[in-house]
Every structure is written in C-alpha cells, then in structure tokens.
Amino acid sequence: MQTLTRVRAIVNEQPVEFLCEPRQSLLECLRDILGLTGSKEGCNDGNCGACTVILDGRPVNSCLVLGVEAEGCRITTIEGIARGTELHPLQRAFLNQAALQCGFCTPGLIVAAKALLDEDPDPSEERIRAFLANNLCRCTGYDKVVRAVQDAAAAGREEVPA
Amino acid sequence: MQAFEYANPSTLQEALSLLGNRWGEVDVLAGGTDLLPLMKDEIHTPRRVVNIKNVKELGGIQSTKAGLRIGAAVTLEELLQSALVRKTYPALADAARGIASPQIRNMGTVGGDLCQRPRCWYFRNGFGLLARDAGGQALVPGGENQYHAILGNSGPAYFVSASLLGPALIAYNATVKLASASGSRDVPVEKFFVTPQNDSSREIALLPNEIVTGIVIPSAVTRSATYEVRQRQALDWPLAAASVVLRMKGATVAGARVVLGHVAPTPWVSEEAAQALAGKAINEETATEAGKAALAGATPLSQNAYKVQLARVAVKRALLQAARGRA
C-alpha cells in the first residue's frame, strides 16, 4: 500500500489539508480529493490548459504539478474567481460575448485570463492571444474569447479608476 | 504513473545524498513539464523523485566576476523577466521567449531545459533513445523521420536535441555547473550535450549521481540573437533554430559563433559558418552564404530534406538580427 502524504495549502483563500499519493497530480487532488471539479482534465500532459490554476501568483498547468508539491502554496481555481455569488467581470464578459460553446476549456481560459489581467490590466489583443496560447478551445475560434477578455479588462478599469 | 518515493530536500547537500548511481533509479523534479509526462507514459519509472525547487542554492540570477550565474531552478519566466538577461544576452532571451507558453515558462526551469529528453516520437513511445525494433534495427532512417536530425545523423542516434537554451548558451561559451555528493565540476555547455552510443546512456554528460546547479555565461561585448523557424508560434519546438554571437571589429566580424538547434542529436556548432563570416560585414549576402556553409554537410533523411533550407534561413535571419541589434 502506497504511503499517503499530508499536504497543507491555501486553496481559494481557505486553508485546506489533504492526504495524497506522491504520484497524484495537483489536478487529481483538486478534483478527486477536494471535490473542486471546475478544473478540467483535457490532455493531462500540459498542452490544453483546461487544468490551469494560479499557483503562488502564476498560472500553471495543474496536471504537470504533483499534489505533494502544493505544500505551503496558495492556489486559485475557477471556483475561487467569483466574489461570493457575484460573477467576476471575466465570467460576465464570457457570458455576454458567448465566448464558449461546450465550456470544457472555459475554466482554464478564465483562470489564465485572470492571471493576465492581474499582471496587466490593459493588455493588447496580441498580448491576450500570446498569453492564452496554452489554452486550447476547439469551439469558438478564440475571437469571442479575446473580445471577452478585452471587455473584462475595460470593466475592471472602470471599477478601479486610475 | 507508477508509485514512487517523494523527497523534498531544502539543501543541496541533502538533495545530492538522495540521488542514485544508475540511470532510471532516481529522477530530479524541477518544473516537471517534461518529467511528469515521461512518468505518466512510463518512459521514466523512478523509484524516487527528488524535488529540487525548494533548494535555495539552485535559485537566483547574479552578476559575478566570472560572468552571469543563473541557478538551475530559475524558471524560464524568471529568466525572461531579468532585464540583465534581455539587455546583455539577447540570444538567450530570444530562445526563452520562444518556449511553449506562459504556463510552461512559469514551471519549466533553465536546468530542466538542458536536461529534457528528446521529443523523438519513437523514444516517447517506448522504442528507446536509439529507436530500434526488437531485432535491433534502427527505425528512424526508413520511418517517420520528418522531425529528426539532418546533421550528425550517421547513427546510432537520429533524434534532435530538444534544448531551446543550449544553442544560445554554447554560442556564448557558457559553462554548466554540476554537483554530486563527492564534489562539483564545470563542463562547457558545448561538451554537456553528447550523442549517445547505446540505449542505456544519456544524451547529456550528466552522471546519475549529479545534478545541474547552474550556468555561468562569461561577460563579453557581443552582438547576438536566436532565430527559430516554427510551425506554430507557441506550444511547440522549433523545426530549426540558430543562435549566433558576433564579436565585431568596427563593421566586420572578428569572431563568430554559430550554433544550430533541432538539427542534430546535440546542438550543432558550425565552424564552417564562423569561417565564412570572418573579416566580413554582416549583410544579406554574407548571412546567406554563412547559412549555406552551415548546412553544406547536411545529410537529410527520407522525409526531412525541407529542414535544410529552414536551418539555412535560421542562420541568415539570426545573423541579420544580431547585426541590427535591438533597442
């Protein structure tokens, strides 16, 4: 029987503690142990970005991180993006622009876009496209996604006047 | 993924004491962007994994007397964020900028780039580093070789070195620092990449009981650039790349280093291109000639002759970019 390791981390601003096998990815731990099934498993090898989470301030593919590596880390998943019952401007913008069809890539795209807007509140279209290059969407063709991120960036700038 | 023992040392000494004596026993985990997929596919099945991300000695970028020291665990994004790297070593910044995606650059490390395994699809599908069938016959020459080597490919290895930073580091005459429990050694990056002779050896000069601790790039006033020819702008390895470092005397080249990537089992230093440039000014014509000289000895396989022209163009464009300089 494989030994389980205790991991303590901050997930969506809440301290959590869980037991996992060293071979379980952070994505598996989030989904199967913590029940946070918003992060999706697409390719499971770092290509599709559906599992993107923010780890200590930086977007990463949680399928390429071991759960045990999260010890002491601060993680934001799609479940931590909304403010209570109020959607994040990115979530509203994705709805308004219909920037999704099947929705499987959407959690990863919104989390990655959040990381972008945290770093750069007014990104150019080129920057948005480059930053979201690791988030594959097979439905939308990306244009609506880019427009949604631009709308959210504008909404965010209105909320916090310079 | 097979089960393994996880070690999370906080000092270099402790990390080194956890390594194995034979390849395959222990794997070092830094960014995990290559190791985790290798373990998921059971190409690597270590009994222990040593996470080196919490080893302080392996981080940081510092100017030293010997040059710029870059810790092995520095992420590719940290490398790109360094104003010093962008200003002084543009060929390295160009190469780092081309790597994969923001997510991968946030995770992947400098040491990991040098130690990543080849992308050869035969290797990744369990046919071994030299890609042979059960009877020992090489699969690549008569197989799907469109992304394989066009230089240094007389066997037994046909894969291309996957390192994106390697060519630039070699062009700068950088040194890689290695450590084991019994001491440390410095190896020129050029000598770090080797062509393996059998399936149980590696494509790098690292020993199983060693880890890469950092890189030192000597300081010198040069013009440099990396140009990569890619199918896609992101999430892929280049089809061909060239890193060039030029030491200029007035308007002419006093010394050149031209190193090709993704064309051979190691980064490929082209003395021919360097000679073609000696004493010349860099312009469209001389840069084109240098590209031709670099590929004069190419021996493409059945499906990858197209890479010869891509590599020529990579050399030409890297030279023109280096000569122009950048703000």
Side-chain angles (χ1 to χ4, degrees), chain B residues 113-125:
Chain B
D113 174 80
L114 300 182
C115 296
Q116 66 179 306
R117 306 305 313 272
R119 303 305 306 174
C120 166
W121 43 35
Y122 292 100
F123 170 66
R124 297 270 164 175
N125 279 287

Side-chain angles (χ1 to χ4, degrees), chain A residues 2 23 44 59 63 69 134, chain B residues 1 3 40 53 101 103 106:
Chain A
Q2 175 74 27
R23 64 174 158 175
N44 203 25
C63 73
E69 291 181 73
N134 201 167
Chain B
M1 196 187 294
K40 288 176 187 184
K53 274 196 300 293
S101 72
Q103 283 94 321
N106 283 330

Side-chain angles (χ1 to χ4, degrees), chain B residues 61-236:
Chain B
I61 300 177
Q62 302 107 15
S63 282
T64 70
K65 233 185 281 175
L68 190 72
R69 181 203 168 269
I70 303 167
V74 166
T75 65
L76 300 161
E77 192 60 34
E78 288 174 304
L79 188 69
L80 265 181
Q81 298 295 329
S82 161
L84 194 60
V85 169
R86 291 201 307 272
K87 183 165 180 288
T88 319
Y89 302 103
L92 189 62
D94 289 343
R97 200 173 289 120
I99 295 174
S101 72
Q103 283 94 321
I104 300 292
R105 289 194 299 271
N106 283 330
M107 309 168 80
T109 62
V110 170
D113 174 80
L114 300 182
C115 296
Q116 66 179 306
R117 306 305 313 272
R119 303 305 306 174
C120 166
W121 43 35
Y122 292 100
F123 170 66
R124 297 270 164 175
N125 279 287
F127 290 93
L129 190 53
L130 302 180
R132 289 170 168 158
D133 67 15
Q137 196 67 32
L139 291 161
V140 175
E144 296 293 332
N145 54 39
Q146 54 265 53
Y147 301 124
H148 286 78
I150 54 171
L151 285 160
N153 59 357
S154 56
Y158 298 94
F159 62 81
V160 296
S161 167
S163 173
L164 284 282
L165 304 182
L169 292 171
I170 292 170
Y172 288 121
N173 288 315
T175 299
V176 58
K177 303 186 90 62
L178 312 178
S180 72
S182 55
S184 60
R185 62 185 177 122
D186 292 352
V187 177
V189 178
E190 186 175 350
K191 299 262 191 287
F192 182 71
F193 295 98
V194 294
T195 301
Q197 296 304 310
N198 57 62
D199 261 318
S200 56
S201 60
R202 286 282 167 105
E203 62 281 4
I204 50 177
L206 190 78
L207 298 173
N209 66 344
E210 289 179 317
I211 60 173
V212 174
T213 58
I215 304 290
V216 176
I217 314 177
S219 32
V221 180
T222 56
R223 288 181 174 274
S224 61
T226 295
Y227 189 91
E228 298 172 338
V229 181
R230 299 174 157 276
Q231 207 153 30
R232 300 190 291 175
Q233 287 177 40
L235 272 185
D236 211 347

Side-chain angles (χ1 to χ4, degrees), chain A residues 1-161:
Chain A
M1 156 109 199
Q2 175 74 27
T3 321
L4 296 179
T5 303
R6 184 174 73 153
V7 178
R8 284 155 302 184
I10 308 283
V11 177
N12 299 331
E13 308 297 329
Q14 298 294 316
V16 299
E17 187 174 320
F18 59 90
L19 293 172
C20 70
E21 284 189 58
R23 64 174 158 175
Q24 287 182 286
S25 70
L26 175 58
L27 176 62
E28 284 177 78
C29 294
L30 290 170
R31 289 180 56 86
D32 301 345
I33 301 174
L34 297 175
L36 296 170
T37 55
S39 306
K40 302 302 181 200
E41 181 186 304
C43 67
N44 203 25
D45 67 5
N47 276 290
C48 78
C51 67
T52 302
V53 301
I54 300 175
L55 181 74
D56 289 337
R58 299 226 168 247
V60 300
N61 295 315
S62 61
C63 73
L64 296 184
V65 180
L66 296 174
V68 287
E69 291 181 73
E71 172 67 30
C73 293
R74 184 174 283 272
I75 297 159
T76 303
T77 70
I78 185 66
E79 288 89 348
I81 301 289
R83 297 152 189 165
T85 56
E86 193 197 336
L87 293 182
H88 185 278
L90 272 165
Q91 293 169 311
R92 285 203 304 271
F94 268 65
L95 285 172
N96 290 341
Q97 285 287 358
L100 65 155
Q101 285 179 35
C102 84
F104 197 80
C105 68
T106 311
L109 271 166
I110 289 180
V111 171
K114 163 115 182 12
L116 169 62
L117 296 185
D118 286 348
E119 183 186 311
D120 181 354
D122 189 15
S124 65
E125 180 183 339
E126 193 186 350
R127 180 93 207 276
I128 294 169
R129 287 183 183 274
F131 202 92
L132 299 180
N134 201 167
N135 292 84
L136 303 186
C137 171
R138 302 289 81 159
C139 305
T140 63
Y142 302 104
D143 274 346
K144 291 175 170 185
V145 170
V146 173
R147 271 180 256 148
V149 176
Q150 287 171 320
D151 286 359
R157 287 194 304 277
E158 273 166 34
E159 257 174 52
V160 192

Side-chain angles (χ1 to χ4, degrees), chain B residues 19-98:
Chain B
L19 302 178
N21 287 313
R22 276 199 306 273
W23 285 123
E25 291 177 353
V26 177
D27 269 318
V28 169
L29 170 66
T33 56
D34 192 32
L35 181 60
L36 261 62
L38 285 165
M39 288 170 63
K40 288 176 187 184
D41 292 343
E42 299 189 0
I43 303 299
H44 279 218
T45 52
R47 66 174 170 76
R48 179 190 289 153
V49 169
V50 180
N51 178 17
I52 57 164
K53 274 196 300 293
N54 298 308
V55 176
K56 294 265 182 309
E57 295 103 304
L58 300 177
I61 300 177
Q62 302 107 15
S63 282
T64 70
K65 233 185 281 175
L68 190 72
R69 181 203 168 269
I70 303 167
V74 166
T75 65
L76 300 161
E77 192 60 34
E78 288 174 304
L79 188 69
L80 265 181
Q81 298 295 329
S82 161
L84 194 60
V85 169
R86 291 201 307 272
K87 183 165 180 288
T88 319
Y89 302 103
L92 189 62
D94 289 343
R97 200 173 289 120

